[in-house]
Amino acid sequence: ADILKGNANPSGKLAVTFPVNYTDVPSSTTFPGEPAENPITSFYNDGIYVGYRYYSTFGVKPSYEFGYGLSYTTFSYSGLTLHKNRTDTTVEVSVTVRNTGNYPGKEVVQLYLSAPQNQIEKPVIELKGFAKTNLLKKGESQTVTFKLDKRALSSFWSGKSEWVADAGNYVVKIGASSSDIRLQDSFVLDTDLTEKVHYAMQPTTFVKEISIKDKTDKR
């Protein structure tokens, strides 16, 4: 009631994606399962393209995207700065958020990363961090800081049971949602980074996962 009356300013963001049509959901082609007359098994072949990663990579426009949210005020983003620590490959990211509207409010700042695709396939963007500002009055600003470590830069290579960060250009994207990117900058990782992990939970049945290489979607 306070939100509807304007006594409180909403600041939550969506943690899921709302599609336009059910057929826009990648798992719609495999649900409810096999055999069709009496389904007992359903294979989810999303693979790395879970949620917003699928919609962003395959260009499927949603009704409401991941990270979307409303406010009675507006916010501007500025001063994106990247500082790379060459000793441990940590990247510190900072950005300043200002309340440019007429009402006090909080903003959820989201950090997405676009990684090079050298050895393995990757989504076009992945969420790597988010932070909510303090309650900012009209004209007030706050600098928000994130840290990207080795694991944040890496993608899991299931065939080798390794976390892999390919050498190359990484693009840091700061946004108010997965579709509302406000600022971006990039840095270069000079060498590949790998971390071997224990091989576990091997699937008992082969599942052909969605791949951008096989894209035939015309939507």
Side-chain angles (χ1 to χ4, degrees), residues 14 16-20 55 61-70 177-179:
L14 290 180
V16 296
T17 303
F18 284 81
V20 175
Y55 294 90
K61 184 175 176 58
S63 292
Y64 299 99
E65 71 273 16
F66 177 89
Y68 174 84
L70 294 174
S177 76
S178 59
S179 298

PDB file of all heavy atoms in Angstrom, residues 14 16-20 55 61-70 177-179:
ATOM      1  N   LEU A  14      13.940  -7.826 -11.101  1.00  0.00           N
ATOM      2  CA  LEU A  14      13.548  -9.198 -11.424  1.00  0.00           C
ATOM      3  C   LEU A  14      14.742 -10.142 -11.431  1.00  0.00           C
ATOM      4  O   LEU A  14      15.777  -9.841 -12.016  1.00  0.00           O
ATOM      5  CB  LEU A  14      12.866  -9.255 -12.793  1.00  0.00           C
ATOM      6  CG  LEU A  14      11.478  -8.623 -12.910  1.00  0.00           C
ATOM      7  CD1 LEU A  14      10.969  -8.770 -14.340  1.00  0.00           C
ATOM      8  CD2 LEU A  14      10.503  -9.276 -11.939  1.00  0.00           C
ATOM      9  N   VAL A  16      14.283 -13.205 -12.657  1.00  0.00           N
ATOM     10  CA  VAL A  16      13.921 -14.134 -13.732  1.00  0.00           C
ATOM     11  C   VAL A  16      13.567 -13.320 -14.965  1.00  0.00           C
ATOM     12  O   VAL A  16      13.460 -12.094 -14.905  1.00  0.00           O
ATOM     13  CB  VAL A  16      12.719 -15.021 -13.345  1.00  0.00           C
ATOM     14  CG1 VAL A  16      13.069 -15.928 -12.179  1.00  0.00           C
ATOM     15  CG2 VAL A  16      11.505 -14.168 -13.004  1.00  0.00           C
ATOM     16  N   THR A  17      13.381 -14.019 -16.085  1.00  0.00           N
ATOM     17  CA  THR A  17      12.966 -13.381 -17.336  1.00  0.00           C
ATOM     18  C   THR A  17      11.530 -13.783 -17.643  1.00  0.00           C
ATOM     19  O   THR A  17      11.181 -14.953 -17.537  1.00  0.00           O
ATOM     20  CB  THR A  17      13.873 -13.822 -18.505  1.00  0.00           C
ATOM     21  OG1 THR A  17      15.225 -13.507 -18.190  1.00  0.00           O
ATOM     22  CG2 THR A  17      13.471 -13.117 -19.791  1.00  0.00           C
ATOM     23  N   PHE A  18      10.698 -12.811 -18.028  1.00  0.00           N
ATOM     24  CA  PHE A  18       9.326 -13.093 -18.429  1.00  0.00           C
ATOM     25  C   PHE A  18       9.261 -13.081 -19.956  1.00  0.00           C
ATOM     26  O   PHE A  18       9.472 -12.041 -20.574  1.00  0.00           O
ATOM     27  CB  PHE A  18       8.359 -12.054 -17.853  1.00  0.00           C
ATOM     28  CG  PHE A  18       8.062 -12.250 -16.392  1.00  0.00           C
ATOM     29  CD1 PHE A  18       8.948 -11.793 -15.424  1.00  0.00           C
ATOM     30  CD2 PHE A  18       6.913 -12.903 -15.979  1.00  0.00           C
ATOM     31  CE1 PHE A  18       8.691 -11.975 -14.077  1.00  0.00           C
ATOM     32  CE2 PHE A  18       6.639 -13.092 -14.632  1.00  0.00           C
ATOM     33  CZ  PHE A  18       7.522 -12.630 -13.670  1.00  0.00           C
ATOM     34  N   PRO A  19       8.977 -14.227 -20.581  1.00  0.00           N
ATOM     35  CA  PRO A  19       8.940 -14.291 -22.043  1.00  0.00           C
ATOM     36  C   PRO A  19       7.662 -13.679 -22.605  1.00  0.00           C
ATOM     37  O   PRO A  19       6.672 -13.488 -21.889  1.00  0.00           O
ATOM     38  CB  PRO A  19       8.997 -15.793 -22.322  1.00  0.00           C
ATOM     39  CG  PRO A  19       8.314 -16.401 -21.134  1.00  0.00           C
ATOM     40  CD  PRO A  19       8.693 -15.533 -19.957  1.00  0.00           C
ATOM     41  N   VAL A  20       7.679 -13.407 -23.895  1.00  0.00           N
ATOM     42  CA  VAL A  20       6.474 -12.937 -24.587  1.00  0.00           C
ATOM     43  C   VAL A  20       5.529 -14.110 -24.820  1.00  0.00           C
ATOM     44  O   VAL A  20       4.336 -14.031 -24.551  1.00  0.00           O
ATOM     45  CB  VAL A  20       6.840 -12.275 -25.934  1.00  0.00           C
ATOM     46  CG1 VAL A  20       5.570 -11.897 -26.705  1.00  0.00           C
ATOM     47  CG2 VAL A  20       7.713 -11.039 -25.709  1.00  0.00           C
ATOM     48  N   TYR A  55      18.120 -15.585 -23.780  1.00  0.00           N
ATOM     49  CA  TYR A  55      17.416 -14.488 -24.447  1.00  0.00           C
ATOM     50  C   TYR A  55      18.392 -13.463 -25.012  1.00  0.00           C
ATOM     51  O   TYR A  55      18.202 -12.945 -26.122  1.00  0.00           O
ATOM     52  CB  TYR A  55      16.445 -13.825 -23.462  1.00  0.00           C
ATOM     53  CG  TYR A  55      15.323 -14.746 -23.035  1.00  0.00           C
ATOM     54  CD1 TYR A  55      15.458 -15.563 -21.908  1.00  0.00           C
ATOM     55  CD2 TYR A  55      14.151 -14.822 -23.760  1.00  0.00           C
ATOM     56  CE1 TYR A  55      14.446 -16.422 -21.525  1.00  0.00           C
ATOM     57  CE2 TYR A  55      13.118 -15.678 -23.382  1.00  0.00           C
ATOM     58  CZ  TYR A  55      13.278 -16.477 -22.266  1.00  0.00           C
ATOM     59  OH  TYR A  55      12.274 -17.336 -21.895  1.00  0.00           O
ATOM     60  N   LYS A  61      13.476 -11.330 -27.701  1.00  0.00           N
ATOM     61  CA  LYS A  61      13.032 -10.203 -26.883  1.00  0.00           C
ATOM     62  C   LYS A  61      12.007 -10.665 -25.854  1.00  0.00           C
ATOM     63  O   LYS A  61      10.978 -11.236 -26.209  1.00  0.00           O
ATOM     64  CB  LYS A  61      12.430  -9.107 -27.759  1.00  0.00           C
ATOM     65  CG  LYS A  61      12.032  -7.849 -26.995  1.00  0.00           C
ATOM     66  CD  LYS A  61      11.549  -6.766 -27.923  1.00  0.00           C
ATOM     67  CE  LYS A  61      11.058  -5.547 -27.153  1.00  0.00           C
ATOM     68  NZ  LYS A  61      12.118  -4.986 -26.286  1.00  0.00           N
ATOM     69  N   PRO A  62      12.233 -10.420 -24.565  1.00  0.00           N
ATOM     70  CA  PRO A  62      11.283 -10.830 -23.526  1.00  0.00           C
ATOM     71  C   PRO A  62      10.249  -9.737 -23.243  1.00  0.00           C
ATOM     72  O   PRO A  62      10.393  -8.599 -23.701  1.00  0.00           O
ATOM     73  CB  PRO A  62      12.189 -11.034 -22.311  1.00  0.00           C
ATOM     74  CG  PRO A  62      13.268 -10.002 -22.498  1.00  0.00           C
ATOM     75  CD  PRO A  62      13.480  -9.893 -23.990  1.00  0.00           C
ATOM     76  N   SER A  63       9.225 -10.087 -22.476  1.00  0.00           N
ATOM     77  CA  SER A  63       8.281  -9.077 -21.996  1.00  0.00           C
ATOM     78  C   SER A  63       8.971  -8.190 -20.965  1.00  0.00           C
ATOM     79  O   SER A  63       8.910  -6.961 -21.040  1.00  0.00           O
ATOM     80  CB  SER A  63       7.056  -9.749 -21.359  1.00  0.00           C
ATOM     81  OG  SER A  63       6.282 -10.426 -22.317  1.00  0.00           O
ATOM     82  N   TYR A  64       9.615  -8.827 -19.988  1.00  0.00           N
ATOM     83  CA  TYR A  64      10.389  -8.129 -18.965  1.00  0.00           C
ATOM     84  C   TYR A  64      11.680  -8.893 -18.769  1.00  0.00           C
ATOM     85  O   TYR A  64      11.666 -10.087 -18.477  1.00  0.00           O
ATOM     86  CB  TYR A  64       9.611  -8.044 -17.647  1.00  0.00           C
ATOM     87  CG  TYR A  64       8.317  -7.282 -17.772  1.00  0.00           C
ATOM     88  CD1 TYR A  64       7.109  -7.954 -17.910  1.00  0.00           C
ATOM     89  CD2 TYR A  64       8.301  -5.883 -17.775  1.00  0.00           C
ATOM     90  CE1 TYR A  64       5.915  -7.254 -18.047  1.00  0.00           C
ATOM     91  CE2 TYR A  64       7.127  -5.178 -17.906  1.00  0.00           C
ATOM     92  CZ  TYR A  64       5.930  -5.873 -18.047  1.00  0.00           C
ATOM     93  OH  TYR A  64       4.763  -5.179 -18.182  1.00  0.00           O
ATOM     94  N   GLU A  65      12.794  -8.202 -18.918  1.00  0.00           N
ATOM     95  CA  GLU A  65      14.082  -8.872 -18.881  1.00  0.00           C
ATOM     96  C   GLU A  65      14.588  -9.067 -17.458  1.00  0.00           C
ATOM     97  O   GLU A  65      14.114  -8.427 -16.504  1.00  0.00           O
ATOM     98  CB  GLU A  65      15.114  -8.075 -19.681  1.00  0.00           C
ATOM     99  CG  GLU A  65      15.556  -6.767 -19.030  1.00  0.00           C
ATOM    100  CD  GLU A  65      14.679  -5.579 -19.359  1.00  0.00           C
ATOM    101  OE1 GLU A  65      13.551  -5.788 -19.838  1.00  0.00           O
ATOM    102  OE2 GLU A  65      15.115  -4.431 -19.106  1.00  0.00           O
ATOM    103  N   PHE A  66      15.569  -9.934 -17.329  1.00  0.00           N
ATOM    104  CA  PHE A  66      16.265 -10.167 -16.064  1.00  0.00           C
ATOM    105  C   PHE A  66      16.847  -8.837 -15.574  1.00  0.00           C
ATOM    106  O   PHE A  66      17.453  -8.085 -16.325  1.00  0.00           O
ATOM    107  CB  PHE A  66      17.392 -11.182 -16.281  1.00  0.00           C
ATOM    108  CG  PHE A  66      18.223 -11.458 -15.058  1.00  0.00           C
ATOM    109  CD1 PHE A  66      17.860 -12.459 -14.182  1.00  0.00           C
ATOM    110  CD2 PHE A  66      19.376 -10.738 -14.812  1.00  0.00           C
ATOM    111  CE1 PHE A  66      18.631 -12.726 -13.060  1.00  0.00           C
ATOM    112  CE2 PHE A  66      20.154 -10.990 -13.696  1.00  0.00           C
ATOM    113  CZ  PHE A  66      19.778 -11.990 -12.818  1.00  0.00           C
ATOM    114  N   GLY A  67      16.640  -8.535 -14.292  1.00  0.00           N
ATOM    115  CA  GLY A  67      17.183  -7.309 -13.720  1.00  0.00           C
ATOM    116  C   GLY A  67      16.288  -6.100 -13.847  1.00  0.00           C
ATOM    117  O   GLY A  67      16.629  -5.014 -13.356  1.00  0.00           O
ATOM    118  N   TYR A  68      15.125  -6.254 -14.497  1.00  0.00           N
ATOM    119  CA  TYR A  68      14.219  -5.128 -14.714  1.00  0.00           C
ATOM    120  C   TYR A  68      13.536  -4.721 -13.410  1.00  0.00           C
ATOM    121  O   TYR A  68      13.212  -5.546 -12.567  1.00  0.00           O
ATOM    122  CB  TYR A  68      13.162  -5.521 -15.748  1.00  0.00           C
ATOM    123  CG  TYR A  68      12.071  -4.490 -15.961  1.00  0.00           C
ATOM    124  CD1 TYR A  68      12.260  -3.419 -16.826  1.00  0.00           C
ATOM    125  CD2 TYR A  68      10.853  -4.604 -15.297  1.00  0.00           C
ATOM    126  CE1 TYR A  68      11.255  -2.482 -17.029  1.00  0.00           C
ATOM    127  CE2 TYR A  68       9.845  -3.676 -15.498  1.00  0.00           C
ATOM    128  CZ  TYR A  68      10.046  -2.611 -16.361  1.00  0.00           C
ATOM    129  OH  TYR A  68       9.050  -1.698 -16.553  1.00  0.00           O
ATOM    130  N   GLY A  69      13.300  -3.423 -13.244  1.00  0.00           N
ATOM    131  CA  GLY A  69      12.582  -2.941 -12.071  1.00  0.00           C
ATOM    132  C   GLY A  69      12.156  -1.499 -12.255  1.00  0.00           C
ATOM    133  O   GLY A  69      12.737  -0.755 -13.053  1.00  0.00           O
ATOM    134  N   LEU A  70      11.139  -1.092 -11.516  1.00  0.00           N
ATOM    135  CA  LEU A  70      10.601   0.260 -11.615  1.00  0.00           C
ATOM    136  C   LEU A  70      10.970   1.093 -10.396  1.00  0.00           C
ATOM    137  O   LEU A  70      11.281   0.568  -9.329  1.00  0.00           O
ATOM    138  CB  LEU A  70       9.075   0.206 -11.749  1.00  0.00           C
ATOM    139  CG  LEU A  70       8.512  -0.421 -13.030  1.00  0.00           C
ATOM    140  CD1 LEU A  70       6.985  -0.524 -12.934  1.00  0.00           C
ATOM    141  CD2 LEU A  70       8.903   0.405 -14.239  1.00  0.00           C
ATOM    142  N   SER A 177      19.613  -3.319 -15.994  1.00  0.00           N
ATOM    143  CA  SER A 177      19.035  -4.629 -16.258  1.00  0.00           C
ATOM    144  C   SER A 177      19.894  -5.295 -17.317  1.00  0.00           C
ATOM    145  O   SER A 177      20.828  -4.673 -17.852  1.00  0.00           O
ATOM    146  CB  SER A 177      17.580  -4.520 -16.737  1.00  0.00           C
ATOM    147  OG  SER A 177      17.522  -4.104 -18.092  1.00  0.00           O
ATOM    148  N   SER A 178      19.562  -6.533 -17.669  1.00  0.00           N
ATOM    149  CA  SER A 178      20.347  -7.235 -18.680  1.00  0.00           C
ATOM    150  C   SER A 178      20.192  -6.611 -20.065  1.00  0.00           C
ATOM    151  O   SER A 178      21.036  -6.816 -20.939  1.00  0.00           O
ATOM    152  CB  SER A 178      19.950  -8.718 -18.724  1.00  0.00           C
ATOM    153  OG  SER A 178      18.567  -8.858 -19.020  1.00  0.00           O
ATOM    154  N   SER A 179      19.109  -5.857 -20.275  1.00  0.00           N
ATOM    155  CA  SER A 179      18.892  -5.191 -21.566  1.00  0.00           C
ATOM    156  C   SER A 179      19.175  -3.697 -21.525  1.00  0.00           C
ATOM    157  O   SER A 179      19.203  -3.047 -22.567  1.00  0.00           O
ATOM    158  CB  SER A 179      17.438  -5.404 -22.033  1.00  0.00           C
ATOM    159  OG  SER A 179      17.152  -6.761 -22.226  1.00  0.00           O
TER     160      SER A 179
END
